PDB file of all heavy atoms in Angstrom:
ATOM      1  N   THR A   1     103.516 172.947 178.738  1.00 96.00           N
ATOM      2  CA  THR A   1     103.259 171.620 178.210  1.00 96.00           C
ATOM      3  C   THR A   1     104.266 171.281 177.122  1.00 96.00           C
ATOM      4  O   THR A   1     104.825 172.161 176.469  1.00 96.00           O
ATOM      5  CB  THR A   1     101.843 171.494 177.632  1.00 96.00           C
ATOM      6  OG1 THR A   1     101.669 172.438 176.571  1.00 96.00           O
ATOM      7  CG2 THR A   1     100.799 171.745 178.709  1.00 96.00           C
ATOM      8  N   VAL A   2     104.474 170.002 176.934  1.00 97.00           N
ATOM      9  CA  VAL A   2     105.323 169.505 175.869  1.00 97.00           C
ATOM     10  C   VAL A   2     104.652 168.289 175.257  1.00 97.00           C
ATOM     11  O   VAL A   2     104.028 167.492 175.959  1.00 97.00           O
ATOM     12  CB  VAL A   2     106.745 169.174 176.370  1.00 97.00           C
ATOM     13  CG1 VAL A   2     106.716 168.047 177.400  1.00 97.00           C
ATOM     14  CG2 VAL A   2     107.672 168.828 175.219  1.00 97.00           C
ATOM     15  N   THR A   3     104.777 168.174 173.951  1.00 98.00           N
ATOM     16  CA  THR A   3     104.139 167.098 173.214  1.00 98.00           C
ATOM     17  C   THR A   3     105.172 166.386 172.355  1.00 98.00           C
ATOM     18  O   THR A   3     106.066 167.018 171.793  1.00 98.00           O
ATOM     19  CB  THR A   3     103.016 167.646 172.319  1.00 98.00           C
ATOM     20  OG1 THR A   3     102.017 168.265 173.124  1.00 98.00           O
ATOM     21  CG2 THR A   3     102.375 166.537 171.510  1.00 98.00           C
ATOM     22  N   LEU A   4     105.037 165.089 172.271  1.00 98.00           N
ATOM     23  CA  LEU A   4     105.889 164.291 171.400  1.00 98.00           C
ATOM     24  C   LEU A   4     105.004 163.556 170.407  1.00 98.00           C
ATOM     25  O   LEU A   4     104.258 162.648 170.793  1.00 98.00           O
ATOM     26  CB  LEU A   4     106.724 163.301 172.200  1.00 98.00           C
ATOM     27  CG  LEU A   4     107.747 162.494 171.407  1.00 98.00           C
ATOM     28  CD1 LEU A   4     108.858 163.407 170.892  1.00 98.00           C
ATOM     29  CD2 LEU A   4     108.328 161.370 172.256  1.00 98.00           C
ATOM     30  N   GLN A   5     105.070 163.967 169.167  1.00 98.00           N
ATOM     31  CA  GLN A   5     104.356 163.288 168.097  1.00 98.00           C
ATOM     32  C   GLN A   5     105.259 162.199 167.551  1.00 98.00           C
ATOM     33  O   GLN A   5     106.345 162.488 167.043  1.00 98.00           O
ATOM     34  CB  GLN A   5     103.971 164.270 166.992  1.00 98.00           C
ATOM     35  CG  GLN A   5     103.279 163.629 165.799  1.00 98.00           C
ATOM     36  CD  GLN A   5     101.930 163.059 166.144  1.00 98.00           C
ATOM     37  OE1 GLN A   5     101.121 163.715 166.790  1.00 98.00           O
ATOM     38  NE2 GLN A   5     101.680 161.824 165.722  1.00 98.00           N
ATOM     39  N   MET A   6     104.824 160.963 167.654  1.00 98.00           N
ATOM     40  CA  MET A   6     105.627 159.822 167.249  1.00 98.00           C
ATOM     41  C   MET A   6     104.982 159.160 166.047  1.00 98.00           C
ATOM     42  O   MET A   6     103.875 158.621 166.141  1.00 98.00           O
ATOM     43  CB  MET A   6     105.774 158.830 168.399  1.00 98.00           C
ATOM     44  CG  MET A   6     106.333 159.441 169.678  1.00 98.00           C
ATOM     45  SD  MET A   6     106.651 158.209 170.972  1.00 98.00           S
ATOM     46  CE  MET A   6     104.964 157.685 171.307  1.00 98.00           C
ATOM     47  N   ASN A   7     105.662 159.206 164.936  1.00 98.00           N
ATOM     48  CA  ASN A   7     105.192 158.593 163.705  1.00 98.00           C
ATOM     49  C   ASN A   7     106.128 157.464 163.294  1.00 98.00           C
ATOM     50  O   ASN A   7     107.260 157.372 163.764  1.00 98.00           O
ATOM     51  CB  ASN A   7     105.115 159.630 162.584  1.00 98.00           C
ATOM     52  CG  ASN A   7     104.155 160.748 162.873  1.00 98.00           C
ATOM     53  OD1 ASN A   7     103.114 160.554 163.497  1.00 98.00           O
ATOM     54  ND2 ASN A   7     104.487 161.952 162.408  1.00 98.00           N
ATOM     55  N   SER A   8     105.640 156.628 162.397  1.00 98.00           N
ATOM     56  CA  SER A   8     106.437 155.506 161.889  1.00 98.00           C
ATOM     57  C   SER A   8     107.056 154.711 163.017  1.00 98.00           C
ATOM     58  O   SER A   8     108.242 154.373 163.003  1.00 98.00           O
ATOM     59  CB  SER A   8     107.518 156.023 160.935  1.00 98.00           C
ATOM     60  OG  SER A   8     106.954 156.731 159.854  1.00 98.00           O
ATOM     61  N   LEU A   9     106.246 154.383 163.988  1.00 98.00           N
ATOM     62  CA  LEU A   9     106.747 153.714 165.175  1.00 98.00           C
ATOM     63  C   LEU A   9     107.267 152.316 164.866  1.00 98.00           C
ATOM     64  O   LEU A   9     106.723 151.606 164.021  1.00 98.00           O
ATOM     65  CB  LEU A   9     105.660 153.646 166.240  1.00 98.00           C
ATOM     66  CG  LEU A   9     105.443 154.957 166.995  1.00 98.00           C
ATOM     67  CD1 LEU A   9     104.089 154.970 167.686  1.00 98.00           C
ATOM     68  CD2 LEU A   9     106.561 155.167 168.011  1.00 98.00           C
ATOM     69  N   LYS A  10     108.309 151.953 165.565  1.00 98.00           N
ATOM     70  CA  LYS A  10     108.957 150.664 165.419  1.00 98.00           C
ATOM     71  C   LYS A  10     108.884 149.896 166.729  1.00 98.00           C
ATOM     72  O   LYS A  10     108.770 150.490 167.790  1.00 98.00           O
ATOM     73  CB  LYS A  10     110.433 150.855 165.032  1.00 98.00           C
ATOM     74  CG  LYS A  10     110.668 151.676 163.783  1.00 98.00           C
ATOM     75  CD  LYS A  10     112.157 151.907 163.569  1.00 98.00           C
ATOM     76  CE  LYS A  10     112.413 152.739 162.330  1.00 98.00           C
ATOM     77  NZ  LYS A  10     113.866 152.976 162.133  1.00 98.00           N
ATOM     78  N   PRO A  11     108.963 148.573 166.660  1.00 98.00           N
ATOM     79  CA  PRO A  11     108.992 147.802 167.906  1.00 98.00           C
ATOM     80  C   PRO A  11     110.090 148.248 168.859  1.00 98.00           C
ATOM     81  O   PRO A  11     109.903 148.171 170.085  1.00 98.00           O
ATOM     82  CB  PRO A  11     109.219 146.367 167.417  1.00 98.00           C
ATOM     83  CG  PRO A  11     108.605 146.343 166.060  1.00 98.00           C
ATOM     84  CD  PRO A  11     108.905 147.696 165.474  1.00 98.00           C
ATOM     85  N   GLU A  12     111.194 148.714 168.319  1.00 97.00           N
ATOM     86  CA  GLU A  12     112.292 149.188 169.154  1.00 97.00           C
ATOM     87  C   GLU A  12     111.943 150.436 169.953  1.00 97.00           C
ATOM     88  O   GLU A  12     112.673 150.796 170.880  1.00 97.00           O
ATOM     89  CB  GLU A  12     113.534 149.481 168.291  1.00 97.00           C
ATOM     90  CG  GLU A  12     113.961 148.328 167.407  1.00 97.00           C
ATOM     91  CD  GLU A  12     113.338 148.403 166.030  1.00 97.00           C
ATOM     92  OE1 GLU A  12     112.233 147.846 165.849  1.00 97.00           O
ATOM     93  OE2 GLU A  12     113.956 149.016 165.129  1.00 97.00           O
ATOM     94  N   ASP A  13     110.854 151.094 169.595  1.00 98.00           N
ATOM     95  CA  ASP A  13     110.406 152.265 170.340  1.00 98.00           C
ATOM     96  C   ASP A  13     109.639 151.895 171.597  1.00 98.00           C
ATOM     97  O   ASP A  13     109.310 152.768 172.399  1.00 98.00           O
ATOM     98  CB  ASP A  13     109.525 153.159 169.465  1.00 98.00           C
ATOM     99  CG  ASP A  13     110.270 153.737 168.281  1.00 98.00           C
ATOM    100  OD1 ASP A  13     111.423 154.182 168.457  1.00 98.00           O
ATOM    101  OD2 ASP A  13     109.690 153.750 167.169  1.00 98.00           O
ATOM    102  N   THR A  14     109.325 150.631 171.759  1.00 98.00           N
ATOM    103  CA  THR A  14     108.595 150.184 172.934  1.00 98.00           C
ATOM    104  C   THR A  14     109.385 150.491 174.199  1.00 98.00           C
ATOM    105  O   THR A  14     110.542 150.094 174.336  1.00 98.00           O
ATOM    106  CB  THR A  14     108.306 148.683 172.854  1.00 98.00           C
ATOM    107  OG1 THR A  14     107.456 148.417 171.740  1.00 98.00           O
ATOM    108  CG2 THR A  14     107.629 148.193 174.129  1.00 98.00           C
ATOM    109  N   ALA A  15     108.754 151.204 175.106  1.00 98.00           N
ATOM    110  CA  ALA A  15     109.410 151.611 176.341  1.00 98.00           C
ATOM    111  C   ALA A  15     108.414 152.375 177.193  1.00 98.00           C
ATOM    112  O   ALA A  15     107.326 152.721 176.742  1.00 98.00           O
ATOM    113  CB  ALA A  15     110.625 152.498 176.045  1.00 98.00           C
ATOM    114  N   VAL A  16     108.813 152.634 178.413  1.00 98.00           N
ATOM    115  CA  VAL A  16     108.105 153.605 179.231  1.00 98.00           C
ATOM    116  C   VAL A  16     108.706 154.966 178.936  1.00 98.00           C
ATOM    117  O   VAL A  16     109.922 155.144 179.036  1.00 98.00           O
ATOM    118  CB  VAL A  16     108.202 153.284 180.727  1.00 98.00           C
ATOM    119  CG1 VAL A  16     107.516 154.365 181.551  1.00 98.00           C
ATOM    120  CG2 VAL A  16     107.573 151.927 181.017  1.00 98.00           C
ATOM    121  N   TYR A  17     107.865 155.888 178.575  1.00 98.00           N
ATOM    122  CA  TYR A  17     108.311 157.225 178.230  1.00 98.00           C
ATOM    123  C   TYR A  17     108.050 158.160 179.396  1.00 98.00           C
ATOM    124  O   TYR A  17     106.941 158.222 179.929  1.00 98.00           O
ATOM    125  CB  TYR A  17     107.591 157.723 176.972  1.00 98.00           C
ATOM    126  CG  TYR A  17     108.114 157.103 175.705  1.00 98.00           C
ATOM    127  CD1 TYR A  17     107.882 155.762 175.429  1.00 98.00           C
ATOM    128  CD2 TYR A  17     108.869 157.848 174.796  1.00 98.00           C
ATOM    129  CE1 TYR A  17     108.383 155.172 174.282  1.00 98.00           C
ATOM    130  CE2 TYR A  17     109.369 157.275 173.645  1.00 98.00           C
ATOM    131  CZ  TYR A  17     109.125 155.940 173.391  1.00 98.00           C
ATOM    132  OH  TYR A  17     109.623 155.360 172.241  1.00 98.00           O
ATOM    133  N   TYR A  18     109.073 158.896 179.775  1.00 98.00           N
ATOM    134  CA  TYR A  18     109.011 159.794 180.915  1.00 98.00           C
ATOM    135  C   TYR A  18     109.184 161.233 180.475  1.00 98.00           C
ATOM    136  O   TYR A  18     110.116 161.558 179.739  1.00 98.00           O
ATOM    137  CB  TYR A  18     110.108 159.470 181.924  1.00 98.00           C
ATOM    138  CG  TYR A  18     110.000 158.115 182.567  1.00 98.00           C
ATOM    139  CD1 TYR A  18     110.620 157.004 182.003  1.00 98.00           C
ATOM    140  CD2 TYR A  18     109.280 157.947 183.746  1.00 98.00           C
ATOM    141  CE1 TYR A  18     110.530 155.763 182.595  1.00 98.00           C
ATOM    142  CE2 TYR A  18     109.188 156.704 184.342  1.00 98.00           C
ATOM    143  CZ  TYR A  18     109.817 155.615 183.763  1.00 98.00           C
ATOM    144  OH  TYR A  18     109.727 154.381 184.363  1.00 98.00           O
ATOM    145  N   CYS A  19     108.311 162.065 180.942  1.00 98.00           N
ATOM    146  CA  CYS A  19     108.463 163.492 180.739  1.00 98.00           C
ATOM    147  C   CYS A  19     109.470 164.044 181.739  1.00 98.00           C
ATOM    148  O   CYS A  19     109.563 163.573 182.875  1.00 98.00           O
ATOM    149  CB  CYS A  19     107.110 164.179 180.910  1.00 98.00           C
ATOM    150  SG  CYS A  19     107.113 165.950 180.572  1.00 98.00           S
ATOM    151  N   ASN A  20     110.215 165.032 181.311  1.00 98.00           N
ATOM    152  CA  ASN A  20     111.233 165.644 182.153  1.00 98.00           C
ATOM    153  C   ASN A  20     111.213 167.151 181.960  1.00 98.00           C
ATOM    154  O   ASN A  20     110.988 167.637 180.853  1.00 98.00           O
ATOM    155  CB  ASN A  20     112.613 165.086 181.790  1.00 98.00           C
ATOM    156  CG  ASN A  20     113.747 165.806 182.484  1.00 98.00           C
ATOM    157  OD1 ASN A  20     114.292 166.780 181.960  1.00 98.00           O
ATOM    158  ND2 ASN A  20     114.101 165.340 183.671  1.00 98.00           N
ATOM    159  N   ALA A  21     111.457 167.871 183.036  1.00 97.00           N
ATOM    160  CA  ALA A  21     111.529 169.318 182.946  1.00 97.00           C
ATOM    161  C   ALA A  21     112.573 169.854 183.900  1.00 97.00           C
ATOM    162  O   ALA A  21     112.711 169.358 185.023  1.00 97.00           O
ATOM    163  CB  ALA A  21     110.172 169.953 183.252  1.00 97.00           C
ATOM    164  N   GLY A  22     113.299 170.849 183.461  1.00 96.00           N
ATOM    165  CA  GLY A  22     114.231 171.578 184.308  1.00 96.00           C
ATOM    166  C   GLY A  22     113.556 172.842 184.789  1.00 96.00           C
ATOM    167  O   GLY A  22     113.202 173.699 183.981  1.00 96.00           O
ATOM    168  N   ILE A  23     113.411 172.972 186.092  1.00 95.00           N
ATOM    169  CA  ILE A  23     112.482 173.934 186.670  1.00 95.00           C
ATOM    170  C   ILE A  23     113.124 174.775 187.768  1.00 95.00           C
ATOM    171  O   ILE A  23     113.961 174.298 188.536  1.00 95.00           O
ATOM    172  CB  ILE A  23     111.249 173.201 187.242  1.00 95.00           C
ATOM    173  CG1 ILE A  23     110.435 172.578 186.109  1.00 95.00           C
ATOM    174  CG2 ILE A  23     110.364 174.125 188.065  1.00 95.00           C
ATOM    175  CD1 ILE A  23     109.305 171.702 186.582  1.00 95.00           C
ATOM    176  N   ARG A  24     112.697 176.019 187.832  1.00 94.00           N
ATOM    177  CA  ARG A  24     112.856 176.838 189.026  1.00 94.00           C
ATOM    178  C   ARG A  24     111.486 177.005 189.648  1.00 94.00           C
ATOM    179  O   ARG A  24     110.523 177.366 188.975  1.00 94.00           O
ATOM    180  CB  ARG A  24     113.458 178.194 188.691  1.00 94.00           C
ATOM    181  CG  ARG A  24     114.946 178.149 188.415  1.00 94.00           C
ATOM    182  CD  ARG A  24     115.546 179.548 188.414  1.00 94.00           C
ATOM    183  NE  ARG A  24     116.992 179.501 188.252  1.00 94.00           N
ATOM    184  CZ  ARG A  24     117.848 179.379 189.257  1.00 94.00           C
ATOM    185  NH1 ARG A  24     117.404 179.314 190.511  1.00 94.00           N
ATOM    186  NH2 ARG A  24     119.146 179.340 189.024  1.00 94.00           N
ATOM    187  N   SER A  25     111.408 176.753 190.946  1.00 90.00           N
ATOM    188  CA  SER A  25     110.139 176.760 191.652  1.00 90.00           C
ATOM    189  C   SER A  25     110.197 177.678 192.861  1.00 90.00           C
ATOM    190  O   SER A  25     111.249 177.855 193.477  1.00 90.00           O
ATOM    191  CB  SER A  25     109.772 175.343 192.094  1.00 90.00           C
ATOM    192  OG  SER A  25     108.624 175.335 192.916  1.00 90.00           O
ATOM    193  N   SER A  26     109.050 178.222 193.206  1.00 88.00           N
ATOM    194  CA  SER A  26     108.959 179.042 194.408  1.00 88.00           C
ATOM    195  C   SER A  26     109.007 178.203 195.679  1.00 88.00           C
ATOM    196  O   SER A  26     109.221 178.738 196.766  1.00 88.00           O
ATOM    197  CB  SER A  26     107.679 179.880 194.384  1.00 88.00           C
ATOM    198  OG  SER A  26     106.530 179.056 194.345  1.00 88.00           O
ATOM    199  N   SER A  27     108.805 176.901 195.560  1.00 86.00           N
ATOM    200  CA  SER A  27     108.781 176.020 196.718  1.00 86.00           C
ATOM    201  C   SER A  27     110.089 175.261 196.948  1.00 86.00           C
ATOM    202  O   SER A  27     110.198 174.508 197.919  1.00 86.00           O
ATOM    203  CB  SER A  27     107.634 175.016 196.584  1.00 86.00           C
ATOM    204  OG  SER A  27     107.819 174.176 195.467  1.00 86.00           O
ATOM    205  N   ARG A  28     111.065 175.452 196.079  1.00 85.00           N
ATOM    206  CA  ARG A  28     112.347 174.772 196.212  1.00 85.00           C
ATOM    207  C   ARG A  28     113.440 175.651 195.634  1.00 85.00           C
ATOM    208  O   ARG A  28     113.286 176.193 194.542  1.00 85.00           O
ATOM    209  CB  ARG A  28     112.295 173.420 195.510  1.00 85.00           C
ATOM    210  CG  ARG A  28     113.596 172.631 195.567  1.00 85.00           C
ATOM    211  CD  ARG A  28     113.411 171.260 194.962  1.00 85.00           C
ATOM    212  NE  ARG A  28     114.665 170.548 194.826  1.00 85.00           N
ATOM    213  CZ  ARG A  28     114.803 169.332 194.335  1.00 85.00           C
ATOM    214  NH1 ARG A  28     113.721 168.664 193.928  1.00 85.00           N
ATOM    215  NH2 ARG A  28     115.995 168.771 194.256  1.00 85.00           N
ATOM    216  N   ALA A  29     114.531 175.750 196.338  1.00 86.00           N
ATOM    217  CA  ALA A  29     115.627 176.604 195.908  1.00 86.00           C
ATOM    218  C   ALA A  29     116.381 175.987 194.746  1.00 86.00           C
ATOM    219  O   ALA A  29     116.498 174.759 194.630  1.00 86.00           O
ATOM    220  CB  ALA A  29     116.579 176.857 197.071  1.00 86.00           C
ATOM    221  N   GLY A  30     116.899 176.842 193.898  1.00 87.00           N
ATOM    222  CA  GLY A  30     117.757 176.397 192.827  1.00 87.00           C
ATOM    223  C   GLY A  30     117.007 175.912 191.601  1.00 87.00           C
ATOM    224  O   GLY A  30     115.802 176.119 191.444  1.00 87.00           O
TER     225      GLY A  30
END
């Protein structure tokens, strides 16, 4: 898991936030 604590938020922070991970999986090579 990963968490992003966002404080002192500004209107410029408005967006869709996407989680991302770099992974090695047993179901996909590489």
Side-chain angles (χ1 to χ4, degrees):
T1 60
V2 63
T3 298
L4 185 68
Q5 177 66 47
M6 305 186 294
N7 298 325
S8 302
L9 282 161
K10 304 175 181 179
E12 307 92 270
D13 296 317
T14 297
V16 177
Y17 284 70
Y18 296 90
C19 184
N20 172 269
I23 293 173
R24 284 193 176 273
S25 173
S26 61
S27 63
R28 179 175 172 180

